[in-house]
Structure formats: C-alpha cells, structure tokens
Amino acid sequence: KVEAVESQTDVLIIGAGPAGLMAAYWMAVCGVKARIIDKRGTKVFTGQADGLRPRTLEIFDSMGFQHRVIHEGHVAVEANFWVPDEAGKLTRQGPHCSPKINESNHHNMLLNQGRIERFLIDTISKYSDLEVERGIIAESFEYDEKLEEDLDAYPITVKLRTLSDEEANPGHISKDGSGSQPANGQGRGSVLPDDWEELIQKSRLRQTKTEIVKAKFIIGCDGAHSWTRKQVNILLEGSSTEHIWGVIDVVPLSNFPDMRRLGTITHSSGTILVIPRERRLVRLYVPVQIVDSTSANRFDRSAITLEMIKSRVQAIMSPYTFDFQICDWWTAYQVGQRVAPAFNKGTRIFLAGDAVHTHSPKVGLGMNMSMQDGFNIGWKLAMVVVGAANPAILDTYNAERHPLAEMLLEFDRLWSGEFTETTDADGPAAPDKADRMVHVVEKYMDFADGLRTYYPASPLVWKVSEEEGPEAARNLIPGERFSPIKLRNQAEGNSKWTTRLLESDGCYRIIVLAGDVRVEEQKKRVEALGRFLSAEDKTMISPLHRYVPIPGRKDQIEVITIHSAPWKEVEFFDFPEIFRPFDPVMGWGYDDIWCDNSCTWDPHCGGQGYEKWGVDRTRGAMLVLRPDQYIGWVGELEEVKDMTDYLDGVLIKMPTPEV
Ligand code: FAD
C-alpha cells in the first residue's frame, strides 16, 4: 500500500555514514529541525574504514566520546618497513615514528568505522531526539532556485521512499563504500552488545510508503556514488586506478615478528600494508591483480576470493607463515582518485565526504576527511539555520574543504604508487624503498594528521600571513586549529587538555591569554579588558550578550582565561568577575580560569603552552576560536574593536529592544 505524506524540515541530510552523522551532531547540538535518512537498514558493523588521525580524535574529545575510542581502539604510532636485503632476505627498516608525534595529545588509532558510527549516534541522542531514519531512500529531487535568497523558503523538494526489508538489508556490504564490492565475508561475531538494537530493528516489518519532504537546506553525505551530487549535476573529476586490491580483517596465525605492528612488507611481486587493530584483528591491504584495460578480457573483481588474497599474502610474506581461522571482513576493490569541482551548489545544497572525493583506503584518510567535512559544514549550517550566524559563512565551506581534498588526492597518488610500482620479477625491491615511503609520509604528515589545515582568509579567518600568526602570538595562525595543551585549573588544581575543555557545543570562544598577572602593568591591562567585556567602558561595545545565541544558550560567546603566573601566586578572585561569572544556581565560573603551569603529579601538564603558541609569558594575547576550535582572530588584549569587528562579520546581533 502506498501512502503519500508531505512534510517540511529545515535541513535534510542524505546518508548516515561518518560524514552525515557528523553533520547531524551539529544539528542536534544547535537545536535545528533536521532529518537524517539512509537507505541501509542498519549502520556498518564490520569492515570499511579503521584509521583515525590525531585531529579527528581531538574532535571526538571535544564532542565527549574520545574515551570510548581509547577504551576500544588500538594505538599505532611506529611503522616498520620490511624490504628484501641484497641476499633477498626480508629485513626490518625502522621503526619510523613521526617527529611531530607529540604535536597532538592524540595519536593515530585504529578502530572499526561501525564503532565510530555507534559513538556518534549515541552522542547525538544526548542532545536531541534526532534519529537516523533507516531503510529510506531519496529518489527524486527538485530545486526552485528563485527561492534561494529567501531564508524562510523551502526551495528543495525530495521524494523519499521507505524500502522493503529486502531492499534495505540486502545482506552484504553496500556498494557505496569507496568502490568496495558487495557480498563478501561480513562476520556477525563482531557485533558488540550496544549494536544489537540495530540488528533487532532490521527485522522489524516495513510498510512501503513515499513521502514528499520540503527542505530549506540539504547535505548530501551519500557516499562515493552520491545520488545528491548527481541531482545537481556535479561530476567527479579524475581517473580510475588500474589495480585491484584485496583487503582482509583477520586474526592472523603467523610467525612474522611484526604481525601486530603497523608497517609494510615488500616483495618483488608487491607490497602489503599491515595494520594492527582492536580485538587482535589485523587488516592487510594486498595487491591482487593489475587490470589490463586494453585487454578484451578485463579482470573481473567479483572473481576474487578470500583464498586468492590469502595466497598472495603467503607469497609476499614468505618465508614467514600466514594463516587464519577468523576472518571478520574482506573485500576486493578498485579505486578511482576523483574529486568534485565544487562541494556546494549555490547556498542551499552541500556535499560532504566520499560524495565529493574518492581515493584509495591505504592512506587511511577517507573516514577522517569525511567526518571533518561534515563537522565543517555542520556547525556553519546549524548556526545559520537557527539565526545565530551570517549566511555568508556558508561560502567558506567549499573554500576551506576543497583544497584539502585536492591535497588528499595528491598524497594518495604518491603513497599508492609506492605499493603498485612493479619491480623486476626476480630482483630485489628498490634499495631505497623504505626511505621513499618515509619521505612521502613525512611530506604529508601535517596535512594527514590534521595538524595543519590551511584554511584560507575569509570572514571566518582573519589572517595577517599564511605562515605565522600576528606578532602577539606567532604560532597561533588564524585558520589553523588551536594547538592542544594540558592546563591546570586555577580554582581546583585539576588538569585538562584544551581538546576536552573547548567543547564542540556551538559557542564561539574568546580566549584571554592573560599573561603574568602578578606584574602590576599586566594586571591593569587585564582589568581594562574586563571593563570592556563587562560593558563598564561605555565608550565601546562589548561582544558579550550582543549576538543571538543558539537555542538553550544564554550567550553565544564564552570567555576562557589562561594566565601564565604560578597558580599559587594569584587567586581565582583576583580576576575580573566577567572572566569567572557568577550564576545564582551554579555559583562561580570555576571552569573558566586556567593556568599554564607545570603539575608535579601530571607529567603531561608541563606549563609550556605560551611557548608552544609563541606568546610572551608576561604580555599574553587574545584570540577568538570558532565553534570547531579553529582560530578565527588573534590580537593584543587592547585590540577589542578589531575583535568585535570580526565577530560582527560572523554572528547576528540581537535586535535592539524597543524603548
Ligand atoms: P559512506 O560511509 O559511504 O556513507 C554514505 C551513506 O549514504 C551510506 O550509508 C549509504 O547507504 C547512504 N546512501 C547512499 N545513497 C543514498 C540515497 N539515495 N538515499 C539514502 N541513503 C543513501 N577511511 C579512513 O579514514 N581510514 C581507513 O582506514 C579507511 N579504510 C577503508 C577501507 C575500505 C576497504 C573502504 C571501502 C573504505 C575505507 N575508508 C577508510 C573510507 C571510508 O570508509 C569512507 O571514506 C567513509 O565511509 C566515507 O564516509 P561517508 O559518510 O562520506 O560515506
């Protein structure tokens, strides 16, 4: 029976993979009327992505679930490259560890994509009743461009159809996963108890119905074969690689010494990537076949079997042994390196994740990039929809994320090339193989780990230079993330990483690096800033209580103070009250004042933040952080007008009360 229903929503998210869930998180946090649909009957349980980069983990920390990743995941920071020596014997080169390993408080981790989706779904449910509507496919699309300028209008019309149980749960991995092929081994043994509900839902009876949804905005997070992208005629540009790869997640039985270490094994017939995972699983990426595109008999990917992949591993690893009893998941894939020329169509339609960039999984970045796309468009769109931010900020989504996708493809081409390059069939691998691999990794390390983002100048990013921050804070570069430090709380003595302190809760933050407030002149500067922020100085306008907050917040801006004096030599109450506001119910703002001091009981709390940020320990500095912890503006404590101008360009002022 077909029921036609009509409805309206402010934001419609198509696809509930990592990118869509990340965007949905912001809708939940900011109280946006939104929906998220996915044609699959359940989320992912096994397979697909597993690599998590430091910046992604910092984001998880700001969202409050990184402890779950630490609890379940596997840390892998050192890589070993095994290559044949002159006598042809496999020899370890390494270990190689990033020289920037401690730039972030989080290190590369491995954990199945399905678990990340679980954590995202659970986190969303803490903020709102926004739930993924599964087994629903988007099928038709209309866009009325004439309505684009009217923010109250619903220019997008999408027809949704509830799929039959069979259509929604075809019993294999979706074809959308970066070109992975369906129907391969997917072990149920790996479904953890908190994922069972998903499987139970899968068996519920579905009633086929169609629904016409009118939306103000749409975010297409619908994977490599994106339906949304096709609706707006954006074509991916790039090419397909000619190699077929096998990937297996197994519990290996092997005498290879580095079976539980990250690394590569190179043999004359190819290179395998070894990735240790949670629950004793190891993922292996294995070159299986070079496709001869000119041949009439093109190699059929579906002809690849688990046994074939296993034999290839055994051949490359020989004389070491390799076998397994448990295979959690496996697939064979052939990937294209492609990127969309634009990640948006006008101001109402946005695309994120694999929908706009596809590449090989060996760089371990697809899930990371996709989530970071969703994170980026998510906060901007959510704040625009609730009337808290200027719609012009939506233009920065493409400007910030598109160049990174280009960089991703560049990295992937070089890195994948190292795996597919062929050598003389009987000869040893190139002697400098390991060095070349290290060189490629190091060249793209900052980008891949997310330590640098290179967001360009825009209304959201006020830059003085591409390479360094303003004089007051040389290493705090607008457009980059706020580099993490562990701080000591002034009132409590507890220590906390800034990645946890600066929560992704939708507010803008003014970070007052108050310097050494024991110095009389510096104390006066801080007090003058306090007078300005508390609007005691009537000659100027304070940015506090000036802008429309997102629903549920009293103010759109929070002030966090980090001073550099020894904590014992200053008191919490020495700071102007505006820096530690009093709430009649919750008391003083003890969480708002921190010091960059070393902590005898916590070796990570080293009191070196000001040095890392390039800030004078006496004079301090001031910065504005966007809700995604990227630096928007930096200046001196006195540059209050400039800072307010920055905020005026981004946030919407509250209407002046009528007299
Ligand atoms: P997807 O995860 O593909 O989600 C898209 C969703 O949209 C799907 O759930 C789909 O059902 C839904 N959908 C599609 N069309 C419609 C429609 N018309 N209506 C409704 N719903 C629709 N990345 C890493 O970062 N690290 C790794 O180590 C890594 N390893 C990988 C290994 C393999 C073998 C593969 C295949 C991928 C790997 N990736 C890795 C890539 C990673 O899985 C993807 O980049 C990531 O899943 C992309 O997220 P996404 O949300 O953009 O898209």
Side-chain angles (χ1 to χ4, degrees), residues 490-545:
Q490 176 66 32
E492 302 166 342
N494 275 329
S495 56
K496 205 177 220 180
W497 283 103
T498 46
T499 46
R500 183 72 205 108
L501 171 67
L502 306 169
E503 287 182 37
S504 288
D505 56 4
C507 74
Y508 248 88
R509 289 195 175 84
I510 296 175
I511 308 289
V512 180
L513 300 177
D516 189 344
V517 283
R518 292 171 305 171
V519 177
E520 198 49 39
E521 192 190 330
Q522 182 65 10
K523 195 169 177 213
K524 286 196 178 123
R525 293 179 72 213
V526 172
E527 284 167 353
L529 177 63
R531 282 195 297 280
F532 160 71
L533 290 175
S534 54
E536 276 174 46
D537 182 345
K538 301 287 178 217
T539 59
M540 300 184 89
I541 300 154
S542 167
L544 301 190
H545 306 291

Side-chain angles (χ1 to χ4, degrees), residues 15 18-19 38-40 49-51 113 138 177 285 354 361 365-368:
D38 199 296
K39 66 181 181 185
R40 293 174 59 124
D50 58 2
Q113 175 173 332
Y285 285 104
D354 276 12
L365 271 174
M367 176 166 63
N368 293 271

Side-chain angles (χ1 to χ4, degrees), residues 175-208:
K175 281 188 176 173
D176 290 335
S178 291
S180 72
Q181 70 168 22
N184 296 333
Q186 184 186 10
R188 284 285 174 74
S190 49
V191 177
L192 298 185
D194 57 352
D195 274 341
W196 287 344
E197 179 58 22
E198 288 261 344
L199 279 181
I200 295 165
Q201 275 183 16
K202 182 173 164 177
S203 62
R204 282 188 194 139
L205 274 180
R206 298 174 169 281
Q207 200 183 14
T208 304

